[in-house]
Amino acid sequence: PDQNGVSGEREIVSSWSASGDNLVWKAEHTCRSTVSVFRGRIYFIGLVGEGVRAQEGVTCLDANTGKVVWQDRFNVFLANIQQSRVGWANVSVDPETGNVYAHGVGGVFRCYSREGKILWSISLTEEYGRLSAYGGRTNSPLIEGDMVLMGFTCSSWGPYNLPSHRYWAFDKHTGELIYISSPAGKFKNSTYSTPVVGTIDGMRVLFDGNSDGSVYAIKANTGEKLWGTPFAEKDLQASVVYSDGKVYACHGKENLDGETRMGAVAAFDAVTGKVLWKSVGHEVGYASPCVKGDEVFVIENDGDLVCIDAMTGKEKWSERLGTVGKGSPVWVAGNIVATEVNGRVHIISYGPAGVKAHNEVQLTLTGEDGNQRAAEVYGSPAISNGRIYITSENMIYCIGRKGRKVSTAFTPMK
């Protein structure tokens, strides 16, 4: 809820199995991002259909049963995205209205009512010159007051001719454009970082890692640039985290200061952008950091979970998860829940000295050749009402104690 990787849930299960132990339900869907959970509903975007009839789809599931409540399918056009990368961005839900916001890989940006009615739709590629690439990297929307904010690369007319990673604010009710902010230079790659917003001296400030390798702060209400601090030679993919007056960022690229080691994790002063500390050698190019109290948790590209002192940047301990780390870690009730690309789901209990217990479940599927293989996992865990939701290339899992119902009641505030 605070965009820092920390869940306020007080209890989760410490173990489960894909065959049934502490598995509330599982449903066959393709999703490479993270689900959003709100008032008894699960929302996500992913690939639907097969072959030439494949489309992108926004789906709503019942949180108690996993059954489809509604689904909107649409074509992927004006893009050369490969099918396996459809559905990259996370769907966002506005807690005030219950409306759902989804950004497709082809640039379709839609607002749905809680019941699935399309309230407005924008083709960002056609209308604003949104740029993507073969990889399909797509940025997730963020609700801020009466606005929906998003960062993405574009090239258009006049002052927007330079291809750059810009920040956009739309009216969340109508889709009307409010502002475009261009704090960065020329883009260096397509990105999928998601901005975060914090309050600094009473002012709402948007923070984000940009395609040009810098971390930026802009006024969330107007788009005015406050500061920008160079951090890496190339694009920043992992989202930043704001906590207690600091912005935490990470990358897996070349460093700027002649350092031969790749990657870094750093803390920035949220007011000035000054680097407070930088821990070099941690290649964290994909997963966002998680900040809980005086500890920062990151997952390195090679699958190591690392705990770093939030005040000094010194490593406290590490734990091997697998071989490829892309999903972000989540802290909940004294545990770290994490995923690994090669189908592993981890629930890790830890203390001051490091890991105390490590539960690992391997997700698999049957390939076209009839053999079992790992089911790839790219999304982060989502946690709500004591349940853990995990997405994979063929299934969505709801993990928790059975028999506990979740309320689906919701009344919009306005």
Side-chain angles (χ1 to χ4, degrees):
D2 296 322
Q3 298 182 274
N4 57 4
V6 174
S7 168
E9 296 290 316
R10 296 183 179 181
E11 182 184 11
I12 58 168
V13 297
S14 58
S15 63
W16 70 290
S17 72
S19 60
D21 181 35
N22 285 328
L23 181 65
V24 180
W25 53 259
K26 61 181 178 180
E28 290 189 38
H29 295 280
T30 297
C31 182
R32 67 173 296 122
S33 54
T34 304
V35 301
S36 292
V37 188
F38 183 70
R39 295 292 189 270
R41 300 260 176 101
I42 311 297
Y43 303 95
F44 64 94
I45 188 169
L47 182 70
V48 290
E50 298 180 354
V52 296
R53 296 189 180 276
Q55 295 176 296
E56 195 163 22
V58 177
T59 303
C60 171
L61 304 180
D62 185 300
N64 288 307
T65 65
K67 294 182 178 180
V68 174
V69 178
W70 57 261
Q71 184 177 77
D72 176 45
R73 300 183 176 203
F74 48 89
N75 292 330
V76 177
F77 62 100
L78 294 176
N80 59 351
I81 308 302
Q82 54 183 317
Q83 287 187 8
S84 62
R85 299 194 173 197
V86 164
W88 193 300
N90 301 326
V91 170
S92 297
V93 182
D94 176 22
E96 182 182 66
T97 63
N99 292 343
V100 180
Y101 300 82
H103 179 199
V105 294
V108 172
F109 184 31
R110 285 185 173 173
C111 172
Y112 303 87
S113 71
R114 178 172 167 84
E115 302 309 320
K117 178 183 177 181
I118 299 174
L119 302 179
W120 52 260
S121 181
I122 304 171
S123 178
L124 298 175
T125 304
E126 292 179 294
E127 296 187 38
Y128 297 114
R130 192 208 73 153
L131 301 174
S132 186
Y134 177 71
R137 292 173 181 148
T138 312
N139 308 84
S140 304
L142 167 70
I143 308 300
E144 170 62 20
D146 285 330
M147 300 184 296
V148 55
L149 308 177
M150 194 158 57
F152 59 85
T153 301
C154 80
S155 177
S156 189
W157 298 105
Y160 308 111
N161 177 260
L162 177 73
S164 183
H165 181 178
R166 298 180 168 90
Y167 300 95
W168 304 69
F170 300 91
D171 185 299
K172 72 178 184 181
H173 302 289
T174 65
E176 179 182 358
L177 179 64
I178 298 174
Y179 70 73
I180 306 172
S181 177
S182 305
K186 185 176 181 181
F187 88 112
K188 297 181 179 179
N189 203 343
S190 57
T191 64
Y192 59 88
S193 61
T194 302
V196 301
V197 176
T199 302
I200 306 295
D201 296 329
M203 178 174 59
R204 297 291 282 170
V205 179
L206 178 151
F207 304 100
D208 192 33
N210 196 275
S211 168
D212 70 356
S214 297
V215 177
Y216 288 98
I218 66 174
K219 292 182 180 180
N221 290 334
T222 65
E224 178 186 344
K225 178 181 174 180
L226 296 174
W227 54 260
T229 303
F231 184 38
E233 285 283 359
K234 297 181 180 179
D235 48 288
L236 302 179
Q237 297 292 340
S239 303
V240 302
V241 166
Y242 169 75
S243 179
D244 195 24
K246 300 182 182 67
V247 178
Y248 297 89
C250 49
H251 72 81
K253 307 286 185 175
E254 295 88 351
N255 284 288
L256 295 168
D257 46 14
E259 170 65 53
T260 57
R261 290 174 294 174
M262 298 280 286
V265 180
F268 301 76
D269 185 288
V271 175
T272 65
K274 178 183 177 182
V275 177
L276 302 176
W277 56 257
K278 182 167 70 171
S279 183
V280 177
H282 296 290
E283 292 186 49
V284 189
Y286 306 103
S288 308
C290 165
V291 181
K292 172 60 177 175
D294 60 355
E295 294 177 322
V296 180
F297 300 91
V298 296
I299 297 179
E300 297 182 337
N301 297 355
D302 62 0
D304 283 351
L305 170 68
V306 182
C307 177
I308 296 173
D309 190 298
M311 301 303 295
T312 65
K314 294 183 179 179
E315 181 177 329
K316 301 178 81 171
W317 54 264
S318 66
E319 177 80 353
R320 190 71 170 171
L321 301 184
T323 54
V324 185
K326 291 194 174 180
S328 305
V330 177
W331 186 97
V332 53
N335 300 276
I336 296 293
V337 182
T339 60
E340 193 262 342
V341 171
N342 292 312
R344 299 182 183 94
V345 180
H346 307 266
I347 302 175
I348 297 170
S349 174
Y350 74 96
V355 173
K356 296 189 295 185
H358 184 163
N359 175 261
E360 177 183 314
V361 173
Q362 174 70 62
L363 303 180
T364 61
L365 59 78
T366 302
E368 294 181 357
D369 58 2
N371 295 320
Q372 289 285 308
R373 66 171 179 84
E376 293 186 343
V377 177
Y378 288 94
S380 310
I383 300 174
S384 179
N385 293 298
R387 296 174 174 177
I388 304 169
Y389 298 91
I390 301 293
T391 62
S392 76
E393 64 176 294
N394 74 319
M395 202 76 65
I396 295 179
Y397 298 87
C398 175
I399 303 160
R401 290 187 171 85
K402 300 178 182 179
R404 182 185 299 176
K405 294 293 184 180
V406 177
S407 173
T408 60
F410 172 71
T411 302
M413 294 177 63
K414 63 178 182 180

